[in-house]
Amino acid sequence: MSTQPRQIRLIMELRADGITDPNVLGAIERVPREKFVPPQFQDRAYENTALPIGDGQTISQPYIVALMTQALELSSRDRVLEIGTGCGYQAAVLSRLCRRVYTIERHRSLARAAQKLLASLDYTNITTKIGDGSKGWPEQAPFDKIIATAAAQNDVPAELFEQLADGGVLVAPIGASVLDQYLWRFRKRGEKIEEERLCAVRFVPLVRD
Ligand code: SAH
């Protein structure tokens, strides 16, 4: 697939906005976002905006996908857990930079569509599951990295920290209202968790079943 001018424009915009990791920019460039957005939004697939994907959910803005991916400091050996598959776009970006992505979505219809799409695009290192991701995926733990793409009200569920490997990084939005929501990065160091607030964000809520 050749890179289109609108894709190049998006990459330049991301770089100007502080996405400096060439691997992250490369992954964004290679994942065909137009395949992940509904047909009526095809022409806006490479705009730097979030778009609706059905069931009241959204595909994240490319800048936020890039920022969260960069914040995870991925290595090609990493096993990554994602909470909130949505349309599968973030999972596809992650999968190009790590060993395997485990991704959980609570909306059955979204999960099924994402699974089908990812298989059709040959993303063979992504495992999907339908369910409540706030409980993590104990059978596959520990994870080197964990990313939540839905916002926890007050705290990241304790299960997710339990399933994070020592030295691992967890990136998640936290905040009860979209007007007061921030992206956080946590690093597990033995018994200690280091925390760092990255920026203001707007995510749909993490719903616990
Ligand atoms: N990463 C997605 C964007 C996801 S939007 C992408 O690239 O398109 C957030 C998603 O989190 C929604 O699809 C929502 O249904 C899902 N979600 C919310 N709470 C959840 C939970 N407890 N477990 C799993 N998925 C959840």
Side-chain angles (χ1 to χ4, degrees):
M1 209 178 319
S2 63
T3 309
Q4 310 162 10
R6 56 184 187 156
Q7 278 173 287
I8 296 169
R9 262 199 308 276
L10 174 61
I11 298 299
M12 286 170 66
E13 198 176 322
L14 296 179
R15 199 182 285 131
D17 286 347
I19 308 301
T20 50
D21 184 333
N23 294 327
V24 173
L25 292 169
I28 298 267
E29 190 174 339
R30 289 195 303 271
V31 175
R33 193 167 184 259
E34 78 271 11
K35 300 274 202 282
F36 292 84
V37 303
Q40 66 271 35
F41 295 112
Q42 294 289 297
D43 56 336
R44 301 184 57 193
Y46 293 97
E47 284 179 18
N48 194 11
T49 52
L51 293 167
I53 54 170
D55 281 322
Q57 308 302 325
T58 51
I59 177 172
S60 305
Q61 179 192 6
Y63 170 67
I64 294 297
V65 172
L67 184 73
M68 291 175 88
T69 307
Q70 181 167 273
L72 283 174
E73 299 172 354
L74 293 170
S75 120
S76 56
R77 296 180 304 278
D78 283 348
R79 294 169 70 253
V80 180
L81 174 67
E82 181 194 27
I83 318 303
T85 314
C87 64
Y89 178 70
Q90 171 80 70
V93 171
L94 295 170
S95 78
R96 307 212 61 131
L97 300 168
C98 69
R99 179 143 59 101
R100 181 156 283 279
V101 179
Y102 296 87
T103 180
I104 311 177
E105 170 58 53
R106 60 182 289 280
H107 269 291
R108 194 170 290 271
S109 56
L110 287 176
R112 290 231 172 96
Q115 185 185 21
K116 218 170 120 193
L117 178 62
L118 291 167
S120 77
L121 294 173
D122 262 346
Y123 289 100
T124 53
N125 62 336
I126 302 176
T127 311
T128 58
K129 175 173 145 168
I130 300 169
D132 179 2
S134 62
K135 300 183 179 72
W137 195 327
E139 299 81 6
Q140 297 294 349
F143 299 98
D144 303 296
K145 307 287 161 65
I146 299 181
I147 172 173
T149 63
Q153 294 259 310
N154 301 308
D155 293 303
V156 173
E159 288 95 327
L160 299 185
F161 284 119
E162 284 158 19
Q163 293 173 32
L164 186 63
D166 193 18
V169 173
L170 186 156
V171 172
I174 304 177
S177 128
V178 288
L179 299 175
D180 186 25
Q181 213 186 73
Y182 293 91
L183 191 63
W184 291 80
R185 171 162 60 187
F186 301 92
R187 213 178 286 270
K188 188 167 174 174
R189 298 224 190 262
E191 296 298 298
K192 281 215 211 94
I193 303 278
E194 293 170 6
E195 57 176 49
E196 196 183 335
R197 198 173 89 169
L198 301 181
C199 61
V201 285
R202 281 164 170 248
F203 276 89
V204 299
L206 180 77
V207 179
R208 302 190 197 197
D209 296 316

